[in-house]
Structures are given as C-alpha cells and as structure tokens.
Amino acid sequence: MAWVTGQKLYGDRYTIERFLGQGGFGVAYLARDKKGDRIVIKTLKEQVLNNPKLAPYRQKYQQNFREEALRLALCRHPHIVHIDNAFYEGELPCIAMEYVEGEDLRHRIKQRGALSELEALLYIWQIAKAVMVIHDKGMLHQDIKPPNIMVRAGKAEAVLIDFGIAREFITTISQYQTTSYTGGFSPIEQYALQANRGEYTDVYSLAATLYYMLTAK
C-alpha cells in the first residue's frame, strides 16, 4: 500500500497530497479535507500488517492504533496535536489529525545549534503544561523527545505529537509493558518489561529534552 497524490479516502472526505514520513510501525501522509484544510493522516505500515512473523500481533497493533486515537481525543490542550477523526480505510486503521506546520526540535537544533536559555525554557514549560493534562487523564506519554515536539512556523509555540506508546499508569503498581525507549531520552524503567512507572517517567524525558535543547547533545 502506498497512497498516491489525489487518492480519496473515507468516502472522499480526505484527499492525499503527499507522503510525509514513517516510523517503526506507522506511516503519515499530508492530505486535505473537504474544506481544503491540511490534515495529517497516520496509519499502520503495510509491512507490519503483512509480515507473517508479526501475524500473531496484528490485532494488538490495530487495537493499539485505535487506542492512540482515543488517547489523543481525551487530551485536549493548545500544546498537544489535535485529533480530527478516526476511521478505517479498508483494513487500515487511520487517524486524521491537525497538521502542525513547522519543524521538529531535533531538526531545528541540528540546523541552528543549541537554543537560548529563554527559548528552551519557554518550549519546555509549554510541553510540561501539556504533559500535566496527559497525567491528569491517568496516562503517560513515554516518548517525549525532540523529534516528537514540533515548533509552529513563525511562532514560539511547541506542540507535542506521537502518542503511539502512551499508556495508562497507576504509580503503586508494577506493570508489564512492551519495552519501548529512545536511548538518552528514556528513563531506566522503560527498558524493563515490568517496572513501576509514574509521572517521573515523563519528567525524566522532559529533563533530557531540555538538556538537548541547551547543549545540542
């Protein structure tokens, strides 16, 4: 599956413009809705759905993808990417979300170098406010890092994206979870199959992200 420019999705509600990028399991396209507004449509990679080795986990991947849409819908905040819709295109679960025009923090810092203290603290304060909303819903983001923070074009405004591994948590209970982490930005508990996780899990990643903003390392 590779959606092409002009392809219609979900009963002609969305029109594909171009491929945006992909991660470990998901792929994203830029599209327009019927009003002409730009939208990002994210779906599972075909390689994930069609890989025979991953067949036992296919239903779980689809369920996790749908749950990402629900988590995004629950967490409404100016510094969290807004969800527009969730639907199926054939067997593919899809999330339609706000298109944040700008660049992610990793790209911004690689191009321009470390940020000033004032700019770095502004962005980390904005994202921390967003993370507080996530925690109030009983969830952890678990993937806070520069590539998952967009800075809007022409504005000093950061937006947290990618809720693919966000999960519910109870601080007093050690939970089994699939290990998923980013070296340098994830705390030690994310390397373990079973561990206590709490607000501090995301706070560690926030601190690591602030360090990167100030040092470019």
Side-chain angles (χ1 to χ4, degrees):
M1 182 278 302
W3 293 335
V4 297
T5 300
Q7 186 169 342
K8 304 288 185 179
L9 302 181
Y10 197 41
D12 294 346
R13 291 177 176 88
Y14 303 105
T15 304
I16 295 296
E17 285 201 341
R18 61 182 172 88
F19 170 81
L20 280 178
Q22 62 183 359
F25 295 95
V27 58
Y29 288 82
L30 181 64
R32 288 193 185 269
D33 61 18
K34 285 187 173 182
K35 296 180 292 185
D37 295 332
R38 282 180 159 183
I39 293 288
V40 172
I41 297 182
K42 180 179 176 182
T43 189
L44 283 171
K45 291 165 67 173
E46 187 179 23
Q47 298 94 310
V48 173
L49 292 176
N50 295 337
N51 187 335
K53 294 181 180 179
L54 298 178
Y57 311 101
R58 187 174 299 137
Q59 188 173 356
K60 175 176 171 54
Y61 291 144
Q62 291 176 316
Q63 180 181 340
N64 287 347
F65 201 87
R66 295 289 290 183
E67 288 177 355
E68 179 182 356
L70 175 60
R71 289 189 288 269
L72 271 172
L74 287 171
C75 299
R76 304 290 292 182
H77 190 271
H79 298 290
I80 295 175
V81 64
H82 298 160
I83 187 169
D84 180 74
N85 206 348
F87 60 95
Y88 272 90
E89 183 66 25
E91 294 185 352
L92 291 172
C94 301
I95 303 173
M97 64 187 76
E98 167 193 17
Y99 172 62
V100 182
E101 187 174 2
E103 59 185 345
D104 68 67
L105 273 176
R106 179 176 61 181
H107 183 265
R108 188 183 187 94
I109 291 167
K110 282 187 177 295
Q111 294 296 313
R112 310 183 192 184
L115 306 182
S116 69
E117 183 178 329
L118 184 64
E119 186 178 11
L121 287 174
L122 173 63
Y123 295 150
I124 212 71
W125 178 83
Q126 292 172 345
I127 298 302
K129 287 286 191 180
V131 170
M132 288 172 67
V133 171
I134 299 168
H135 292 170
D136 284 345
K137 298 294 184 182
M139 292 183 289
L140 299 173
H141 186 278
Q142 296 196 120
D143 204 17
I144 299 167
K145 56 187 178 183
N148 286 342
I149 297 174
M150 297 291 296
V151 179
R152 292 190 189 276
K155 296 182 179 180
E157 187 176 319
V159 180
L160 183 62
I161 63 172
D162 201 340
F163 280 58
I165 63 170
R167 294 292 182 271
E168 296 176 353
F169 76 100
I170 302 173
T171 53
T172 56
I173 296 177
S174 179
Q175 296 170 285
Y176 282 103
Q177 295 192 15
T178 304
T179 55
S180 185
Y181 54 84
T182 300
F185 294 97
S186 298
I188 194 168
E189 61 267 22
Q190 281 188 239
Y191 290 73
L193 277 174
Q194 185 179 20
N196 287 87
R197 304 184 189 197
E199 290 95 337
Y200 48 83
T201 301
D202 283 340
V203 170
Y204 181 102
S205 299
L206 277 169
T209 299
L210 176 59
Y211 181 92
Y212 179 80
M213 285 194 273
L214 292 170
T215 65
K217 297 179 182 179

